[in-house]
Amino acid sequence: MRNRRKPDNVTEGQNEPKSGSAAKSASKTVTQKGDQSGDSPSVWWSVWMAIYCIVGLAVAVTMGVFYAKFVSQLHENQMYFSRIETVEREISFRTEAGLFYSYFKQFTEAKSMSQGFHQLMYDNVTEHGHTINVMERMNIHQEVLLGILFRVFRMPFLMDVEPVYFYLNTVWSLHAMYMVAIFCTVWVLTGGWAGGVVAAMLYTVNRHDTTRIWFTMPLRESFSMPFIFAQLLFVTAYFQRNRSPTSKNILLALVFVCTFILSVTWQFAQFVLLLQAFALYSTQALQLVPTHKVCGHRVIHACVSRSENDR
């Protein structure tokens, strides 16, 4: 009996390691399957978020284009702009709006760019009895830039486009960007682009209380307001938590560009920036935002103010 039991014991001892290795291999297989099943939801979630963002951006651009066409049609319905003569179109620009447009027209009708710059720098028509530098006295940088673009692209692309329509279409395009900035700002604040749709619709419905773009196109605010809200969008994204250093630097650069363009295109930009600085200082004093982020934003304001003073 002992001889019989001994082989049985040996056999059991030999089988124990095999069963242990089999259990380990089985557990590894289960773990790998669990990892694979755990990776697949994350992949699908990433794909879903990518589709969600693409659809949101498409909706934002669509809302912007719709708003630009909407205000353009409002202007057409109010002025019958396409059915009147060129002189009547220019007369339809009210008060200082006509003055600003006249500088664009003067620059585009000059024989050369150098002559156009000379006429603006030595202007003896705006103020009676005085020769002034209009480029220093008034914010007409946008008219000069649009005049340069129109003269450069007239021959290959803009042969059949009148200067007044080139001017107005630029303003409509900027306000399409304006609507996209509002849409994306609400998207950043709420975490979903459905809120951006609501914000865009409410802005359009309450247009009489928010804008006068369809009858005062050449005014300075028509060029600056899109950059105000673009700057607010980048500031909002900058103050979000868990931002990487690279994204913070990119957002600060975008804030600087928008703030600089805002300061160049509107003579009242300093008041908007002052209110923004007070608001950020208050949030910093209440410890609602990190101090280093507010300091970074202050540096942007200081750089823009210094460049404006040098100019």
Side-chain angles (χ1 to χ4, degrees), residues 22 47 55 67 81 93 130 136 162-163 205 239-240 255-256 281:
V47 172
V55 173
Y67 178 72
F81 204 73
F93 296 140
H130 296 85
E136 291 183 355
E162 297 182 19
V205 170
F239 279 99
Q240 279 190 320
V255 170
F256 174 80
Y281 177 78

Side-chain angles (χ1 to χ4, degrees), residues 266-277:
W266 198 22
Q267 66 272 25
F268 299 125
Q270 62 268 23
F271 302 109
V272 176
L273 297 177
L274 181 62
L275 292 175
Q276 188 180 75

Side-chain angles (χ1 to χ4, degrees), residues 29 48 136 176 179 184 188 218 221 247 251 254 256-257 266 277 281:
T29 304
W48 163 249
E136 291 183 355
M179 183 59 68
C184 293
V188 171
E221 64 193 54
S247 63
L251 289 171
L254 293 173
F256 174 80
V257 171
W266 198 22
Y281 177 78

Side-chain angles (χ1 to χ4, degrees), residues 115-136:
Q115 183 181 2
F117 280 111
H118 184 272
Q119 291 176 354
L120 294 177
M121 295 174 65
Y122 300 93
D123 181 86
N124 56 2
V125 178
T126 303
E127 292 186 6
H128 176 70
H130 296 85
T131 299
I132 63 173
N133 187 345
V134 181
M135 297 181 65
E136 291 183 355

